[in-house]
Amino acid sequence: MKEGDISQSKAEDILTDKPINPFQHLNIILNPDGSVCRLLTSIPVVPNSDPSSGDPVLSKDSIINPTTNTFVRVYLPLKSTTAEPPRRLPIVFYFYGCSWVQFSADNPPLHLERQRTAIAISSIIILVNYRLSPEVRLPGQYDDAMDALLWVKKQAEDDQNGDPWLREHGDFSRCFLSGSGNGGNIAFHCAVGTVDVDLGPLRIAGVIMNQPLFGGQMRTRSELQFARDPIVPLPVLDLVWKLALPEGVDRDHYYCNPMSAGPHLAKIPFLPRCLVNGFGMDPTVDRQRDFVQMLISMGVNVEAHFEDVGFHRIEIVDPRRHDALITLYKEFISVPNLGYNIEN
């Protein structure tokens, strides 16, 4: 029996006592056509681009691909635009965490958090509303991420009709890709995809991955130890990958398991600085640690922060962890622009 099979049987033993229904956990119902019905709903937040409203952070939506109807929500912190001496703001692309299947950029908590973050890190934030699985499977979300970058590139190049917030206040030489959970996965694969793409005048100065979501066929120790995690128990992790990955592949596909063979490996040595944040009680933390070691072994400049105590996405409910994460973002972004690892 293979080691992976032994691990699988152990996981099943752990979960046998009180089986977990992953669909119920995610509040989704699988439809006969393969789509899902999402039971968690909220009133969409309308952006506010009126500077006379008194809102400290302006926001607006822009379609980036009419064919897929994907859009970005752009956040502009007003106080940062009037700072003395005048300075241009970093541009931070953010791919939100949703386990591939939930929410959109107009979700109230997500919108509020991006407003707060824009102020805290003095940056223009590009919140990318990528398409959800299983209706759109990978690499569709990576394509949406690239569309967002190309849209910003277009704004930078268009002297007449380019977005004024970006053209007047954005520093196109200091762009960052960031994300949490599966959004961290998107940030990584998007960064890999940009290595051989001409984005000029955009320059990717860094990649920020908060508890990036990766997986694999063979169970890790943390997956077994925290198989009943209240946020992302093992059956939920298995389901979201089943819904997100292309039909006919398993969790060792490189979209899910970056340590697997794939065209991404040749590009990793050319990635810019990376920040990886994780917590010891997250079922996916072992994969994040292995991911960091892989990046380091390939010559990537990596800053890694792992705390022993803390579960998946703890910053959502723990103000102290939230503030610490924002500090990490701010310090990472403030480092002088190093860009891609051109020495390789």
Side-chain angles (χ1 to χ4, degrees):
M1 183 177 289
K2 297 179 181 178
E3 184 179 352
D5 296 331
I6 296 174
S7 297
Q8 175 68 48
S9 65
K10 288 181 180 178
E12 289 174 352
D13 289 343
I14 292 171
L15 296 167
T16 297
D17 238 4
K18 296 180 180 178
I20 295 172
N21 183 326
F23 288 96
Q24 191 175 65
H25 188 93
L26 290 168
N27 288 288
I28 60 175
I29 298 174
L30 185 64
N31 297 320
D33 64 357
S35 64
V36 296
C37 177
R38 297 169 176 86
L39 303 180
L40 284 179
T41 59
S42 60
I43 299 175
V45 177
V46 178
N48 174 28
S49 60
D50 181 7
S52 67
S53 65
D55 196 331
V57 180
L58 301 184
S59 57
K60 62 182 175 182
D61 293 343
S62 294
I63 297 292
I64 58 174
N65 187 330
T67 302
T68 59
N69 202 34
T70 46
F71 69 91
V72 293
R73 179 161 290 189
V74 184
Y75 295 85
L76 179 70
L78 284 183
K79 186 176 180 180
S80 298
T81 65
T82 59
E84 292 293 341
R87 61 187 179 88
R88 288 188 170 270
L89 306 179
I91 299 172
V92 179
F93 293 83
Y94 185 75
F95 310 106
Y96 59 93
C98 69
S99 298
W100 301 113
V101 299
Q102 294 278 24
F103 312 126
S104 61
D106 52 18
N107 175 265
L110 181 60
H111 175 80
L112 179 60
E113 179 55 27
R114 298 286 71 75
Q115 287 182 310
R116 292 172 175 172
T117 304
I119 294 174
I121 66 176
S122 298
S123 301
I124 294 174
I125 293 183
I126 309 291
L127 175 59
V128 183
N129 192 74
Y130 54 85
R131 293 168 293 171
L132 300 178
S133 296
E135 292 81 2
V136 175
R137 293 176 175 267
L138 293 169
Q141 291 78 7
Y142 304 152
D143 295 338
D144 297 342
M146 184 61 71
D147 282 345
L149 267 66
L150 294 175
W151 178 81
V152 173
K153 170 184 169 67
K154 182 179 179 181
Q155 309 315 303
E157 294 174 332
D158 193 337
D159 293 331
Q160 302 298 321
N161 302 306
D163 183 277
W165 289 4
L166 293 171
R167 288 193 55 80
E168 294 173 15
H169 304 293
D171 184 348
F172 296 109
S173 71
R174 296 175 64 212
C175 294
F176 295 83
L177 306 177
S178 70
S180 296
N182 72 287
N185 177 296
I186 295 175
F188 166 68
H189 283 283
C190 182
V192 168
T194 64
V195 167
D196 53 7
V197 173
D198 180 11
L199 290 175
L202 271 61
R203 184 176 176 84
I204 307 300
V207 187
I208 302 170
M209 294 163 279
N210 175 41
Q211 296 173 280
L213 184 64
F214 299 118
Q217 285 296 99
M218 185 178 295
R219 303 299 188 188
T220 66
R221 181 177 179 180
S222 62
E223 286 173 345
L224 294 173
Q225 185 175 0
F226 305 109
R228 299 196 69 89
D229 180 82
I231 307 299
V232 283
L234 203 54
V236 169
L237 288 172
D238 289 352
L239 175 62
V240 298
W241 283 119
K242 184 177 181 180
L243 296 177
L245 287 169
E247 297 278 3
V249 307
D250 62 25
R251 293 190 303 274
D252 276 334
H253 190 281
Y254 71 94
Y255 292 162
C256 176
N257 186 353
M259 271 67 76
S260 295
H264 67 300
L265 293 178
K267 300 178 183 180
I268 287 177
F270 301 96
L271 290 179
R273 297 168 54 237
C274 290
L275 169 65
V276 181
N277 185 60
F279 293 94
M281 297 166 67
D282 179 355
T284 65
V285 69
D286 285 348
R287 299 194 183 279
Q288 293 155 13
R289 290 192 175 109
D290 290 344
F291 173 68
V292 167
Q293 290 302 316
M294 179 187 69
L295 295 181
I296 292 173
S297 71
M298 293 188 172
V300 180
N301 183 348
V302 183
E303 181 179 333
H305 293 264
F306 289 96
E307 289 190 38
D308 290 337
V309 179
F311 49 83
H312 191 72
R313 302 305 309 278
I314 188 174
E315 78 280 358
I316 295 176
V317 297
D318 185 337
R320 183 174 69 85
R321 267 27 183 280
H322 172 271
D323 292 346
L325 182 61
I326 293 300
T327 298
L328 286 178
Y329 269 60
K330 191 171 184 178
E331 292 175 349
F332 185 80
I333 290 172
S334 68
V335 173
N337 190 2
L338 299 179
Y340 281 94
N341 190 0
I342 59 175
E343 294 181 1
N344 289 308

